[in-house]
Amino acid sequence: MEWKTMEKINPDLILDINNDISDQLVLDEALEVVKACFQCGTCTGGCPSGRRTAIRTRQIIRKALIGLDEVISSEDIWLCSTCYTCYERCPRNIPVTDVIIKLRNIASRRGYMKPPHTAVTHTLAKTGHGVPLGIVKGEPDNNWSKMRQSYGLPNVPPTTLSHPETIKDIQTLMHNLDFDKMVGFVPESKDEKQEKKEKK
């Protein structure tokens, strides 16, 4: 019977080892425990996303710990659905999902963000929701608002959709954190908003 070994990282493909990545991970006290990972593979074996994509969670953690820059530019960190199955099953209680989220944050700061994720940030900045319902207070009902009413809910939820003035607060927060620059978001001018209203 042949024993399967861990995925091998080809040394010829390693272009740069950078302790900056692993150092940034463990700056967060909650992620210090990631050093306890002994590469058992439970995270990869139980990963729902891994059944449908190429994500190998164990490999992401190993590359991050040894400081391979390729982990930041890899598409794999964006394949995680953040379901926390890996954390629930980890025998060492390593918050694997939180490590992947931290890696995404590092990747984003370095300019590695997938276009769909950037698009979600733009939607958030414009509407206050990552997935907007497409309705605004005082506007005609659509299928979402009618469905809400059928369940006895107000047609517009008590969020930014009910308080559109708070969108300016969201954009101010994004601007003060330089997040708007990171994702390339430029708020609409008053003229552009007026033009859209006139087209309706």
Side-chain angles (χ1 to χ4, degrees):
M1 179 174 169
E2 187 179 326
W3 291 94
K4 293 198 174 190
T5 57
M6 292 191 320
E7 300 112 275
K8 185 177 179 194
I9 297 174
N10 185 344
D12 298 334
L13 297 178
I14 298 174
L15 302 175
D16 189 21
I17 292 179
N18 184 347
N19 287 333
D20 183 45
I21 295 168
S22 51
D23 290 346
Q24 284 185 49
L25 277 179
V26 299
L27 274 177
D28 191 335
E29 286 180 32
L31 300 182
E32 176 76 29
V33 71
V34 75
K35 291 179 178 177
C37 175
F38 59 88
Q39 292 289 298
C40 68
T42 302
C43 54
T44 298
C47 177
S49 290
R51 293 183 204 127
R52 291 168 180 81
T53 69
I55 187 172
R56 298 294 172 259
T57 315
R58 174 176 66 173
Q59 195 171 55
I60 290 171
I61 298 300
R62 188 170 74 228
K63 286 178 179 180
L65 283 172
I66 63 175
L68 292 183
D69 270 342
E70 68 187 64
V71 73
I72 298 302
S73 59
S74 169
E75 291 193 6
D76 292 353
I77 60 174
W78 301 100
L79 298 175
C80 171
S81 67
T82 64
C83 69
Y84 284 88
T85 301
C86 51
Y87 179 42
E88 290 171 354
R89 296 182 178 178
C90 179
R92 290 281 177 103
N93 292 321
I94 295 169
V96 179
T97 307
D98 294 342
V99 170
I100 291 175
I101 290 169
K102 180 83 172 201
L103 289 169
R104 287 177 180 177
N105 291 341
I106 295 167
S108 297
R109 277 190 234 99
R110 294 189 186 181
Y112 297 109
M113 189 182 283
K114 302 289 288 171
H117 291 92
T118 303
V120 168
T121 64
H122 286 225
T123 302
L124 175 69
K126 290 176 186 172
T127 67
H129 288 260
V131 182
L133 299 177
I135 49 174
V136 179
K137 189 176 182 180
E139 296 283 326
D141 285 333
N142 64 16
N143 288 340
W144 288 108
S145 57
K146 289 174 185 171
M147 186 170 63
R148 287 180 58 82
Q149 288 172 338
S150 74
Y151 287 108
L153 298 169
N155 66 333
V156 180
T159 61
T160 55
L161 295 173
S162 293
H163 306 280
E165 68 280 1
T166 59
I167 293 171
K168 181 71 177 151
D169 294 339
I170 292 168
Q171 292 177 1
T172 300
L173 181 62
M174 287 178 72
H175 179 71
N176 289 343
L177 295 171
D178 287 335
F179 189 72
D180 55 350
K181 289 178 191 167
M182 188 168 74
V183 297
F185 175 74
V186 179
E188 289 179 333
S189 68
K190 288 180 182 178
D191 294 338
E192 289 171 322
K193 286 180 186 176
Q194 187 61 38
E195 252 181 67
K196 279 188 178 178
K197 279 186 179 180
E198 289 170 5
K199 283 182 182 177
K200 286 183 180 180

